[in-house]
Amino acid sequence: MTEQIYDLITIGGGPAGLICAITGATGIPINSSGLFSSLIIEEGEIGNFAKYGKLRVTHKWFFMGHKVMNFLAIDAKEAGVQIIEHEKVIEVNLKSDIKTIKTNKDIYKGKKIAICTGFFPHGNLVKFTKNIRVMFSPIELEATFLPEEKDIKILILGGGHGTAELALKLKSLRPDIKISVIMEEKLNPEVENKYEGLKIHYGSVRVKKESSNNVECILLDEAGNEVNTGEYRKMLVDYNSYTMKTKVTDFLKDSGITLKEGYIKADNNGNTGICGVVAAGNIVTPVSGVITALSTGFTAGLNLYTQLYQEKYNKTPLLFPWLPIGDPLKHPLGMEEKVDWA
């Protein structure tokens, strides 16, 4: 067991986790050296999936994800944030003033906890590989990345109408390929005829095995029963529409954190309803993306910085005057009112 008690422990080292850990340690402005001790525990590598995405500003302007993550990692190091990679959190105790985080390798203690695990689009997919990946955006770009062979079978994993539209557009760009779509949400019968060129399956999918040129999948019905198997040249995940099915929050069982459909319920400042515990990033909102993760992580980090500062100096730090953070000394959750979980 690590003897040090950290001021802040952040679970997850993606964009939300990085900016939350940095801001929680340094406050505003983000200084080169943090006032509070900060630790990030990341199951994979820092930056993780966000390294392969884009921070899109408009349809023309964007920043490459790996560059943004590299800058954040440098800032974290300069702020004194300790980073631990390749450790999986398996259990937490958030009910006392000093919270305990147990991983597959060690046990850590902290005064404040930030949960920024993000999520993987589908719990049955362990990782993205050569033939399993997120769809490129815009869809015209995706069409250029698909193999040139004709009559190949493509499987698209998505959530509903939006996924069907993307698949239909891809079919118009590559009429020579065969597209199957796996969706949880049933389409309105009035519009189903529009997608006659697609093979739509309502339910889910489990990857059986992957070879160098194919992905063998087991199709599941809405109850989770196996109904069929199939081989596909590529499996594409419509990241922005697929309903979250993940086990990244399994460690929160019996922790007191409120979950809804896999997401953590939190207010606009990241407060979860447990004193000193916030959540940020894609784990709190179905609107996924680097910009959303950075925004919520930044706000949650400032929230924790305010709490730590007031507990240490008994006064409020100078922050942006418009930042809607309550007084943690008067309101233990940092909120003027309790969170409405309805």
Side-chain angles (χ1 to χ4, degrees):
M1 177 186 294
T2 303
E3 295 299 325
Q4 180 179 355
I5 297 177
Y6 293 90
D7 292 312
L8 167 60
I9 297 178
T10 302
I11 303 173
L18 280 165
I19 194 65
C20 184
I22 295 169
T23 311
T26 66
I28 292 295
I30 295 179
N31 302 307
S32 59
S33 180
L35 180 62
F36 300 107
S37 58
S38 183
L39 169 70
I40 293 176
I41 302 174
E42 166 57 44
E43 181 178 349
E45 297 179 352
I46 284 297
N48 217 332
F49 176 72
K51 292 189 296 185
Y52 306 101
K54 300 174 183 177
L55 197 162
R56 186 171 295 279
V57 181
T58 70
H59 69 289
K60 292 183 178 180
W61 299 99
F62 59 86
F63 301 95
M64 295 306 297
H66 69 275
K67 291 187 177 181
V68 177
M69 294 305 102
N70 287 342
F71 288 140
L72 285 173
I74 292 171
D75 285 348
K77 184 177 181 180
E78 291 180 351
V81 177
Q82 183 181 347
I83 296 175
I84 295 177
E85 296 178 302
H86 306 294
E87 282 198 32
K88 179 180 177 62
V89 175
I90 57 177
E91 187 179 335
V92 296
N93 183 348
L94 308 175
K95 298 177 182 178
S96 59
D97 291 338
I98 302 300
K99 290 107 174 50
T100 303
I101 308 297
K102 182 180 180 181
T103 72
N104 59 327
K105 296 181 180 180
D106 209 338
I107 297 176
Y108 304 90
K109 294 183 178 181
K111 299 176 183 177
K112 309 293 180 184
I113 304 296
I115 304 170
C116 307
T117 55
F119 68 85
F120 199 84
H122 195 278
N124 292 323
L125 306 181
V126 179
K127 60 182 179 179
F128 287 120
T129 60
K130 177 182 177 181
N131 297 317
I132 304 173
R133 58 172 173 77
V134 167
M135 296 178 72
F136 288 109
S137 178
I139 197 66
E140 288 80 4
L141 180 63
E142 177 61 63
T144 66
F145 274 87
L146 291 177
E148 295 181 358
E149 305 100 286
K150 293 184 178 181
D151 296 324
I152 60 173
K153 296 171 67 177
I154 303 296
L155 181 66
I156 297 178
L157 194 61
H161 176 77
T163 303
E165 284 293 317
L166 287 174
L168 194 64
K169 178 67 174 178
L170 184 60
K171 180 69 174 176
S172 69
L173 295 168
R174 287 290 305 272
D176 57 302
I177 63 177
K178 299 176 181 178
I179 298 179
S180 297
V181 184
I182 307 293
M183 296 194 299
E184 287 187 324
E185 300 175 12
K186 287 193 174 183
L187 295 171
N188 189 322
E190 297 177 357
V191 300
E192 278 189 332
N193 292 338
K194 180 180 179 181
Y195 307 106
E196 287 183 347
L198 307 174
K199 187 176 182 180
I200 296 178
H201 171 78
Y202 295 115
S204 187
V205 64
R206 183 167 65 244
V207 176
K208 186 175 181 180
K209 65 179 180 180
E210 180 184 7
S211 64
S212 59
N213 291 316
N214 282 291
V215 181
E216 185 176 349
C217 300
I218 299 174
L219 303 186
L220 310 174
D221 62 18
E222 294 169 289
N225 302 312
E226 297 183 9
V227 295
N228 202 355
T229 60
E231 290 189 1
Y232 303 90
R233 186 69 172 80
K234 297 286 183 182
M235 176 187 285
L236 307 176
V237 180
D238 179 13
Y239 182 84
N240 288 314
S241 75
Y242 198 79
T243 302
M244 182 170 151
K245 280 189 172 295
T246 176
K247 295 185 177 181
V248 297
T249 53
D250 277 2
F251 65 87
L252 293 175
K253 183 180 180 181
D254 301 323
S255 67
I257 296 290
T258 303
L259 300 174
K260 183 177 181 181
E261 297 180 354
Y263 294 95
I264 295 175
K265 284 192 170 184
D267 69 4
N268 290 336
N269 298 318
N271 296 296
T272 62
I274 295 181
C275 186
V277 180
V278 301
N282 293 343
I283 197 64
V284 301
T285 172
V287 183
S288 63
V290 177
I291 292 179
T292 304
L294 289 172
S295 175
T296 57
F298 177 80
T299 303
L302 279 183
N303 186 353
L304 292 183
Y305 176 82
T306 301
Q307 295 181 36
L308 289 166
Y309 193 95
Q310 289 189 330
E311 290 170 6
K312 183 173 183 177
Y313 299 107
N314 199 29
K315 63 179 181 179
T316 302
L318 181 62
L319 299 174
F320 296 125
W322 44 262
L323 195 66
I325 293 181
D327 185 346
L329 295 181
K330 295 181 180 179
H331 308 279
L333 301 183
M335 299 177 289
E336 298 299 329
E337 297 179 357
K338 291 184 178 180
V339 181
D340 181 9
W341 298 128

